[in-house]
Amino acid sequence: MTYTINRMILGAKIDDVDARARKALADHGFGVLTEIDIKATMKKKLEVEMPGYRILGACNPKLAWQAIGIEPRVGAMLPCNVILREVEGGVEVGAIDPVASMQAIENAELHAVAGQVRDLLAKAVAAV
């Protein structure tokens, strides 16, 4: 089982894909709670260069509330991370597959919510 939902945006720049990803996520009920600029962090902490790489921590409040109500410790697995990474020819967008990440929790009701989140994330990634 793959653990991410991926899409390649050919000929794109990371800043443009970032704006498109945020809009697509918002259009599908997600807000971006956190942002980590991995490229800047690695440069600052390790003095190494790398292609652009960002992690957006996305959350659908309604579904997060539902999941926490079902399994209170699931917050350790939230928010849903979406990565933007510069690769040869463009930018790859990858979102965590919440169904794959929830396999460790034996709770069918939670898995149903994870399926809803996966469907929305897949639509958002496709819309970038």
Side-chain angles (χ1 to χ4, degrees):
M1 171 182 279
T2 182
Y3 59 93
T4 57
I5 303 159
N6 303 308
R7 176 163 186 231
M8 178 70 171
I9 313 297
L10 296 173
K13 301 293 182 197
I14 196 164
D15 289 333
D16 295 331
V17 174
D18 186 302
R20 290 168 54 181
R22 289 172 190 267
K23 181 179 182 330
L25 287 164
D27 289 348
H28 290 87
F30 294 88
V32 175
L33 301 177
T34 61
E35 175 184 340
I36 303 169
D37 185 334
I38 298 295
K39 177 181 178 176
T41 300
M42 294 302 164
K43 177 67 175 170
K44 181 179 177 182
K45 300 289 185 181
L46 301 177
E47 297 182 21
V48 297
E49 294 290 337
M50 66 179 289
Y53 195 117
R54 296 180 190 161
I55 302 172
L56 305 178
C59 179
N60 180 304
K62 180 181 174 189
L63 293 173
W65 175 253
Q66 190 176 350
I68 290 169
I70 294 167
E71 184 67 45
R73 290 179 297 214
V74 78
M77 301 174 123
L78 301 177
C80 296
N81 284 333
V82 177
I83 63 168
L84 312 174
R85 65 185 196 103
E86 291 178 332
V87 295
E88 188 174 329
V91 177
E92 181 183 59
V93 179
I96 186 66
D97 179 343
V99 172
S101 68
M102 298 293 162
Q103 291 300 311
I105 303 171
E106 294 181 18
N107 186 319
E109 192 177 359
L110 182 64
H111 292 182
V113 174
Q116 292 175 40
V117 176
R118 176 179 55 191
D119 292 345
L120 290 170
L121 282 173
K123 288 176 184 175
V125 169
V128 173

